[in-house]
Every structure is written in C-alpha cells, then in structure tokens.
Amino acid sequence: MVEIKKVAAGFEVSGARFHEVFQNRFKAIMAAHAVALGDATTAGRPVAIVVPTDWGETVIVEPGTAGDKR
C-alpha cells in the first residue's frame, strides 16, 4: 500500500520503502503512482494508493510488464 496524506509541509507520500513530502499535489500523485507500480511489478499483485478522502476513492495499480518485448 502507498498512502498520500496532507501535512503542513505539503503532501506526504509513504510506502514500504519510500517516504517523501512534496509541495504540490501533482508531484505527490506521480510519485505515489511510480512507487505503487514498482511495488506491484515486484510483488506480482495489485497495490493500492490510499488518497485523502476529499480526493476520491482508493486507486489500484496493476503490475507492469517489465521487460515485455512485443
């Protein structure tokens, strides 16, 4: 699971091996998606991004196809 929280300094993104605060929402969303995609691809299963309640519902990121050469 990756989580985005509103904090005084901006938006905190945290996951199993990642923790950083971003000053704007866009950067926080992009970082959370990248972390979730990496975790999902490594684990081979979907990973949830939990966002602040006023942003909408939890986002599920599916594993990528790293190395898939079509």
Side-chain angles (χ1 to χ4, degrees), residues 9-70:
F11 303 95
E12 177 183 60
V13 177
S14 57
R17 297 177 309 263
F18 185 87
H19 183 284
E20 192 167 337
V21 176
F22 296 89
Q23 292 183 345
N24 70 56
R25 182 175 167 165
F26 178 76
K27 287 181 181 179
I29 292 168
M30 292 297 99
H33 190 274
V35 170
L37 180 59
D39 289 352
T41 301
T42 299
R45 60 179 172 71
V47 171
I49 301 175
V50 178
V51 298
T53 55
D54 60 333
W55 289 14
E57 297 181 16
T58 297
V59 176
I60 304 298
V61 177
E62 297 288 333
T65 55
D68 186 9
K69 299 190 190 284
R70 293 181 188 196

